mmCIF file of all heavy atoms in Angstrom:
data_model
loop_
_atom_site.group_PDB
_atom_site.id
_atom_site.type_symbol
_atom_site.label_atom_id
_atom_site.label_comp_id
_atom_site.label_asym_id
_atom_site.label_seq_id
_atom_site.Cartn_x
_atom_site.Cartn_y
_atom_site.Cartn_z
ATOM 1 N N ALA A 108 88.842 67.426 115.643
ATOM 2 C CA ALA A 108 89.895 68.318 115.158
ATOM 3 C C ALA A 108 90.400 69.225 116.278
ATOM 4 O O ALA A 108 91.611 69.498 116.379
ATOM 5 C CB ALA A 108 89.380 69.153 113.989
ATOM 6 N N GLU A 109 89.493 69.670 117.135
ATOM 7 C CA GLU A 109 89.891 70.533 118.244
ATOM 8 C C GLU A 109 90.804 69.785 119.222
ATOM 9 O O GLU A 109 91.806 70.333 119.708
ATOM 10 C CB GLU A 109 88.657 71.056 118.974
ATOM 11 C CG GLU A 109 87.831 72.067 118.196
ATOM 12 C CD GLU A 109 88.488 73.436 118.174
ATOM 13 O OE1 GLU A 109 89.483 73.638 118.908
ATOM 14 O OE2 GLU A 109 88.005 74.305 117.422
ATOM 15 N N LEU A 110 90.474 68.551 119.517
ATOM 16 C CA LEU A 110 91.310 67.766 120.426
ATOM 17 C C LEU A 110 92.655 67.432 119.784
ATOM 18 O O LEU A 110 93.695 67.448 120.453
ATOM 19 C CB LEU A 110 90.584 66.491 120.841
ATOM 20 C CG LEU A 110 89.288 66.678 121.641
ATOM 21 C CD1 LEU A 110 88.659 65.332 121.948
ATOM 22 C CD2 LEU A 110 89.544 67.457 122.933
ATOM 23 N N ALA A 111 92.634 67.129 118.489
ATOM 24 C CA ALA A 111 93.891 66.853 117.785
ATOM 25 C C ALA A 111 94.802 68.070 117.823
ATOM 26 O O ALA A 111 96.022 67.954 118.015
ATOM 27 C CB ALA A 111 93.598 66.440 116.351
ATOM 28 N N ALA A 112 94.220 69.253 117.647
ATOM 29 C CA ALA A 112 95.016 70.479 117.676
ATOM 30 C C ALA A 112 95.631 70.717 119.055
ATOM 31 O O ALA A 112 96.676 71.382 119.165
ATOM 32 C CB ALA A 112 94.148 71.672 117.278
ATOM 33 N N ARG A 113 94.995 70.172 120.097
ATOM 34 C CA ARG A 113 95.537 70.291 121.449
ATOM 35 C C ARG A 113 96.541 69.188 121.767
ATOM 36 O O ARG A 113 97.033 69.099 122.888
ATOM 37 C CB ARG A 113 94.394 70.255 122.471
ATOM 38 C CG ARG A 113 93.558 71.540 122.529
ATOM 39 C CD ARG A 113 92.252 71.311 123.261
ATOM 40 N NE ARG A 113 91.575 72.554 123.618
ATOM 41 C CZ ARG A 113 90.888 73.298 122.764
ATOM 42 N NH1 ARG A 113 90.777 72.914 121.489
ATOM 43 N NH2 ARG A 113 90.302 74.422 123.166
ATOM 44 N N GLY A 114 96.804 68.321 120.798
ATOM 45 C CA GLY A 114 97.793 67.268 120.988
ATOM 46 C C GLY A 114 97.256 65.986 121.588
ATOM 47 O O GLY A 114 98.037 65.126 122.012
ATOM 48 N N TRP A 115 95.935 65.825 121.631
ATOM 49 C CA TRP A 115 95.355 64.609 122.195
ATOM 50 C C TRP A 115 95.628 63.436 121.255
ATOM 51 O O TRP A 115 95.416 63.530 120.044
ATOM 52 C CB TRP A 115 93.852 64.776 122.406
ATOM 53 C CG TRP A 115 93.493 65.659 123.568
ATOM 54 C CD1 TRP A 115 94.061 66.854 123.910
ATOM 55 C CD2 TRP A 115 92.470 65.411 124.534
ATOM 56 N NE1 TRP A 115 93.462 67.381 125.026
ATOM 57 C CE2 TRP A 115 92.483 66.510 125.433
ATOM 58 C CE3 TRP A 115 91.551 64.394 124.727
ATOM 59 C CZ2 TRP A 115 91.605 66.598 126.510
ATOM 60 C CZ3 TRP A 115 90.673 64.473 125.798
ATOM 61 C CH2 TRP A 115 90.710 65.565 126.677
ATOM 62 N N ARG A 116 96.032 62.312 121.833
ATOM 63 C CA ARG A 116 96.385 61.122 121.065
ATOM 64 C C ARG A 116 95.132 60.385 120.600
ATOM 65 O O ARG A 116 94.177 60.222 121.354
ATOM 66 C CB ARG A 116 97.242 60.202 121.940
ATOM 67 C CG ARG A 116 97.705 58.921 121.267
ATOM 68 C CD ARG A 116 98.673 58.187 122.177
ATOM 69 N NE ARG A 116 98.036 57.802 123.436
ATOM 70 C CZ ARG A 116 97.458 56.616 123.653
ATOM 71 N NH1 ARG A 116 97.399 55.720 122.674
ATOM 72 N NH2 ARG A 116 96.935 56.341 124.831
ATOM 73 N N ARG A 117 95.166 59.914 119.366
ATOM 74 C CA ARG A 117 94.068 59.117 118.797
ATOM 75 C C ARG A 117 94.440 57.640 118.897
ATOM 76 O O ARG A 117 95.563 57.246 118.556
ATOM 77 C CB ARG A 117 93.845 59.516 117.337
ATOM 78 C CG ARG A 117 92.801 58.680 116.604
ATOM 79 C CD ARG A 117 92.525 59.272 115.242
ATOM 80 N NE ARG A 117 91.631 58.420 114.456
ATOM 81 C CZ ARG A 117 90.858 58.849 113.454
ATOM 82 N NH1 ARG A 117 90.893 60.138 113.113
ATOM 83 N NH2 ARG A 117 90.076 58.019 112.803
ATOM 84 N N ARG A 269 90.181 59.567 121.951
ATOM 85 C CA ARG A 269 91.294 60.498 122.117
ATOM 86 C C ARG A 269 91.516 60.742 123.610
ATOM 87 O O ARG A 269 90.571 60.750 124.394
ATOM 88 C CB ARG A 269 91.038 61.828 121.415
ATOM 89 C CG ARG A 269 91.219 61.772 119.905
ATOM 90 C CD ARG A 269 91.398 63.152 119.296
ATOM 91 N NE ARG A 269 91.468 63.110 117.856
ATOM 92 C CZ ARG A 269 92.579 62.958 117.148
ATOM 93 N NH1 ARG A 269 93.747 62.815 117.784
ATOM 94 N NH2 ARG A 269 92.548 62.947 115.838
ATOM 95 N N SER A 270 92.782 60.960 123.956
ATOM 96 C CA SER A 270 93.126 61.284 125.331
ATOM 97 C C SER A 270 94.364 62.164 125.343
ATOM 98 O O SER A 270 95.229 62.053 124.484
ATOM 99 C CB SER A 270 93.387 60.025 126.148
ATOM 100 O OG SER A 270 93.732 60.356 127.494
ATOM 101 N N GLU A 271 94.413 63.030 126.331
ATOM 102 C CA GLU A 271 95.589 63.879 126.522
ATOM 103 C C GLU A 271 96.678 63.139 127.284
ATOM 104 O O GLU A 271 97.807 63.607 127.389
ATOM 105 C CB GLU A 271 95.210 65.141 127.283
ATOM 106 C CG GLU A 271 94.631 64.894 128.667
ATOM 107 C CD GLU A 271 94.149 66.150 129.358
ATOM 108 O OE1 GLU A 271 94.480 67.256 128.874
ATOM 109 O OE2 GLU A 271 93.441 66.047 130.368
ATOM 110 N N GLU A 272 96.330 61.958 127.839
ATOM 111 C CA GLU A 272 97.271 61.194 128.643
ATOM 112 C C GLU A 272 97.934 60.128 127.783
ATOM 113 O O GLU A 272 97.256 59.310 127.147
ATOM 114 C CB GLU A 272 96.556 60.576 129.838
ATOM 115 C CG GLU A 272 95.897 61.616 130.738
ATOM 116 C CD GLU A 272 95.225 61.024 131.948
ATOM 117 O OE1 GLU A 272 95.775 60.035 132.502
ATOM 118 O OE2 GLU A 272 94.152 61.525 132.339
#
Side-chain angles (χ1 to χ4, degrees):
E109 290 284 351
L110 297 178
R113 286 165 166 77
W115 286 44
R116 181 173 62 93
R117 175 172 174 156
R269 284 198 184 271
S270 180
E271 60 185 347
E272 301 182 37

